[in-house]
Short mmCIF file of all heavy atoms in Angstrom, two decimals:
data_model
loop_
_atom_site.label_atom_id
_atom_site.label_comp_id
_atom_site.label_asym_id
_atom_site.label_seq_id
_atom_site.Cartn_x
_atom_site.Cartn_y
_atom_site.Cartn_z
N LYS A 139 9.04 -8.22 1.38
CA LYS A 139 8.89 -9.59 1.80
C LYS A 139 10.13 -10.43 1.45
O LYS A 139 10.67 -11.28 2.23
CB LYS A 139 7.61 -10.21 1.19
CG LYS A 139 6.34 -9.61 1.74
CD LYS A 139 5.19 -10.09 0.88
CE LYS A 139 3.83 -9.40 1.27
NZ LYS A 139 2.76 -9.80 0.39
N GLU A 140 10.70 -10.27 0.23
CA GLU A 140 11.75 -10.97 -0.24
C GLU A 140 13.03 -10.52 0.51
O GLU A 140 13.94 -11.31 0.74
CB GLU A 140 11.96 -10.83 -1.76
CG GLU A 140 13.01 -11.84 -2.33
CD GLU A 140 12.57 -13.26 -2.09
OE1 GLU A 140 11.44 -13.68 -2.48
OE2 GLU A 140 13.43 -14.03 -1.56
N ALA A 141 13.15 -9.15 0.78
CA ALA A 141 14.27 -8.69 1.61
C ALA A 141 14.32 -9.39 2.96
O ALA A 141 15.35 -9.80 3.45
CB ALA A 141 14.16 -7.19 1.75
N SER A 142 13.09 -9.60 3.53
CA SER A 142 13.03 -10.33 4.75
C SER A 142 13.48 -11.72 4.54
O SER A 142 14.29 -12.32 5.39
CB SER A 142 11.55 -10.30 5.32
OG SER A 142 11.41 -11.12 6.41
N ASP A 143 13.00 -12.45 3.58
CA ASP A 143 13.40 -13.86 3.29
C ASP A 143 14.89 -14.04 3.14
O ASP A 143 15.44 -15.05 3.60
CB ASP A 143 12.63 -14.36 2.04
CG ASP A 143 11.14 -14.63 2.29
OD1 ASP A 143 10.69 -14.56 3.45
OD2 ASP A 143 10.43 -14.69 1.29
N LEU A 144 15.54 -13.08 2.39
CA LEU A 144 16.99 -13.20 2.24
C LEU A 144 17.83 -12.74 3.35
O LEU A 144 18.99 -12.93 3.42
CB LEU A 144 17.34 -12.38 0.91
CG LEU A 144 16.78 -13.03 -0.35
CD1 LEU A 144 17.26 -12.07 -1.57
CD2 LEU A 144 17.23 -14.41 -0.62
N GLY A 145 17.21 -12.02 4.31
CA GLY A 145 17.88 -11.51 5.45
C GLY A 145 18.66 -10.17 5.16
O GLY A 145 19.72 -9.98 5.77
N LEU A 146 18.04 -9.38 4.28
CA LEU A 146 18.79 -8.17 3.85
C LEU A 146 18.58 -7.11 4.95
O LEU A 146 17.52 -6.92 5.45
CB LEU A 146 18.13 -7.66 2.58
CG LEU A 146 18.87 -6.65 1.68
CD1 LEU A 146 20.21 -7.22 1.26
CD2 LEU A 146 18.04 -6.24 0.46
N PRO A 147 19.61 -6.36 5.32
CA PRO A 147 19.55 -5.40 6.21
C PRO A 147 18.88 -4.06 5.71
O PRO A 147 19.54 -3.11 5.46
CB PRO A 147 21.00 -5.02 6.69
CG PRO A 147 21.79 -5.37 5.45
CD PRO A 147 21.06 -6.53 4.81
N LEU A 148 17.62 -4.13 5.47
CA LEU A 148 16.89 -3.12 4.75
C LEU A 148 15.79 -2.52 5.71
O LEU A 148 15.11 -3.30 6.55
CB LEU A 148 16.21 -3.72 3.51
CG LEU A 148 15.38 -2.74 2.70
CD1 LEU A 148 15.63 -3.12 1.14
CD2 LEU A 148 13.93 -2.71 2.93
N THR A 149 15.66 -1.19 5.72
CA THR A 149 14.59 -0.52 6.50
C THR A 149 13.69 0.24 5.36
O THR A 149 14.29 0.91 4.49
CB THR A 149 15.22 0.51 7.42
OG1 THR A 149 16.04 -0.27 8.38
CG2 THR A 149 14.09 1.22 8.15
N ALA A 150 12.49 0.37 5.59
CA ALA A 150 11.58 0.97 4.60
C ALA A 150 10.88 2.21 5.17
O ALA A 150 10.67 2.18 6.38
CB ALA A 150 10.59 -0.02 4.07
N ILE A 151 10.61 3.14 4.36
CA ILE A 151 9.96 4.29 4.73
C ILE A 151 8.77 4.57 3.82
O ILE A 151 8.86 4.50 2.51
CB ILE A 151 10.84 5.60 4.66
CG1 ILE A 151 11.93 5.53 5.69
CG2 ILE A 151 10.06 6.92 4.78
CD1 ILE A 151 11.51 5.73 7.12
#
Side-chain angles (χ1 to χ4, degrees):
K139 294 171 186 176
E140 193 61 53
S142 175
D143 290 343
L144 294 178
L146 198 61
L148 182 145
T149 300
I151 294 288

